[in-house]
Amino acid sequence: MSYQVLARKWRPRSFREMVGQTHVLKALINALDNQRLHHAYLFTGTRGVGKTTIARIIAKCLNCETGITSTPCGTCSVCREIDEGRFVDLIEIDAASRTKVEDTRELLDNVQYAPSRGRFKVYLIDEVHMLSTHSFNALLKTLEEPPPYVKFILATTDPQKLPATILSRCLQFSLKNMSPERVVEHLSHVLAAENVPFEPDALWLLGRAADGSMRDAMSLTDQAIAFGEGKVLAADVRAMLGSLDHGQVYGVLQALLEGDARALLEAVRNLAEQGPDWSGVLAEMLNVLHRVAIAQALPEAVDNGQGDRERVLALASALPAEDVQFYYQMGLIGRRDLPLAPDPRGGFEMVLLRMLAFRPADADDAPKPVLKPVGISQATADPAAPVAALASAEPSPPAAVVPPEPVVAAAQLEVPAPATADHVPEAEPEVELKAEIEAISVPEPVAEVVDLPWEEPAPAPVPVAAAPAPAPAPVVPAAPPQAAPAHDEPPFDPSAYAAVGMDRDDEPPLDDDYYSGESDPVGFSYLDELAEHVQEEAPKPAAQPLPAAKPATGLALQWLELFPQLPVSGMTGNIAANCTLIAADGDDWLLHLDPGQGALFNATQQRRLNEALNQHLGRTLNLRIELILPEQETPAQAAARKRAERQQDAVTSIEQDPLIQQMIKLFGAKVRQDTIEPVEALVDQGQ
């Protein structure tokens, strides 16, 4: 017996054997079961999706000896003759070869005769869109009102070419393309029944090459069996189709992810051995990046149409979203410019090297700046506290002693202008105050505390107890390390101050700034303008992290000490600064991260922080980060608390300074708290 190809051998003979097209089969089955039969059907769709197969099954359903049914027996003489293609009342017409109007008239002359054997005479006109205009016109009347024993089944791959008059006379069913998953599933069933060994990757290659056609998939499978000597292997199918190894695309993307130029060019060299279409390779990369972007936005929406869903999800978790968008845009532009390159391979390599050179700045191979120490006082840490989780870490060298700088606060005056001349200050206090201001010296300084490197130093508004007559002053007084009670202040001694350079805008007005006049007995216009100007340009305090519920102890305190030593920056540094160490079971560490930072957190940030810890401690940790609000103080909260304490010290030093108190007493001035800044903030701002 001669060999029968798989496409014919496995052609469905009933509706239950059909693969896919459920939306069409449901309507036909219900119509047959309820005896609601139309006289003309039109099936549209690409090649190999089942148009002719469904038409033949309908012919069996209408003429089966058991009666009109959606489940023909398949064993009666009518069913066997239809399956063998020799049933006299099933007239199959190839419209592509019988386009003339004479052929159509000959067909219509036979319509008037009753069927010879079956219940209905079925006309199957394939590729009906190839008929001429005259043929369509000749068919119109018969197609609209055929004899009750005649059924027309039309099939076409191009329904747009059919006249509207034909479309309006038929029930139209559009058959869908076969998805690769459905093709692979059916091929697995067929090859298992045929006892042909196969590899799943080979079936995915065949499913994609079929391009939605089940008949093409079966024909390619026949070819693959012959090519592989009775086996369907991925390497043989790839060689037969001349297709690109999909895994090599992931090799290129993995090299981009790691920033390895050597591995990137090696992957291009392996691709060049297959002589690929470089524009097609870029298109494959763009398809993968598109699916990776979908996986990052909605993982459950990723299909397995290419048999690589797990690899797409793994790449989506390792590649930052901004990198995916960047590579996709670069690939689109590179594919557009590829024809302009002197050599296609060189143009492809330049696209990849451009992706590597212009990747986002916070990538792993980007230069990482050395961070300044965070605002956590190392002297306040308990040196005797055990650090169980860091026992295997290398001991860190002692911190260098930083020369202390004074905590000096800048303030500004608001001196109200009196309404009458009775408030003119006497000459002697005025001259005495001038001499005191010119002889200011800086008292005992305090240690410096550095802000977080990514935050701009900004004063935090600190409430101060109401004073009898509060007012700001434009001098730069000093504050002791800790504010002492008012009754312990030493008496004011002008000789204890040394001259400190001040800008003209910060000096108090001299004698020549005062004048007498009828309309303004005592003029403080200079001070008024200065106060209004500074009040308009006073910076607004920046938002600070919320204070922690509890002070840091135990593991949380160890994290405060460890954080300044980690080589992290950017978003990774911000994530680490808002974490606290919750558990350290050997090499398994658990951190809690403030949920407010969740928008910046992803798997890449966790991996980079884990690598920084491994590098610093000299061992491999298994780091896990959960979005739970820390109950104890984080490094960011500690830095904010230190800034608030410095601000409070500055405000207290201003209010308790003898010179300020004397100015308040003499001039009735008020201290503006929003203009007070610790000296560290002024130094950072270059003032």
Side-chain angles (χ1 to χ4, degrees), residues 230-386:
K231 299 179 181 179
V232 181
L233 304 179
D236 293 338
V237 173
R238 193 175 291 112
M240 179 189 76
L241 298 175
S243 59
L244 176 68
D245 184 2
H246 209 60
Q248 292 180 313
V249 174
Y250 287 97
V252 173
L253 293 176
Q254 186 65 29
L256 281 175
L257 174 62
E258 297 173 355
D260 190 347
R262 182 184 298 275
L264 196 63
L265 295 179
E266 182 67 19
V268 175
R269 186 186 66 79
N270 295 333
L271 283 170
E273 294 177 356
Q274 304 180 21
D277 175 19
W278 296 105
S279 178
V281 177
L282 267 179
E284 285 293 325
M285 288 183 58
L286 293 175
N287 287 333
V288 173
L289 290 172
H290 168 248
R291 300 177 67 210
V292 168
I294 291 178
Q296 291 176 339
L298 192 64
E300 57 270 19
V302 180
D303 59 61
N304 199 28
Q306 315 235 357
D308 56 353
R309 185 174 187 273
E310 297 301 325
R311 301 183 73 172
V312 169
L313 294 176
L315 195 59
S317 62
L319 198 61
E322 59 270 20
D323 288 15
V324 174
Q325 299 296 329
F326 170 76
Y327 293 151
Y328 189 87
Q329 188 66 21
M330 278 288 197
L332 282 179
I333 297 175
R335 193 179 182 207
R336 180 197 66 188
D337 297 342
L338 198 60
L340 303 178
D343 175 58
R345 175 180 173 178
F348 180 76
E349 289 178 345
M350 284 301 297
V351 173
L352 298 183
L353 293 176
R354 195 180 307 136
M355 292 179 180
L356 195 63
F358 293 97
R359 64 190 307 181
D362 61 340
D364 291 337
D365 60 345
K368 297 180 179 179
V370 180
L371 296 181
K372 298 185 293 182
V374 191
I376 304 172
S377 176
Q378 301 292 336
T380 59
D382 186 4

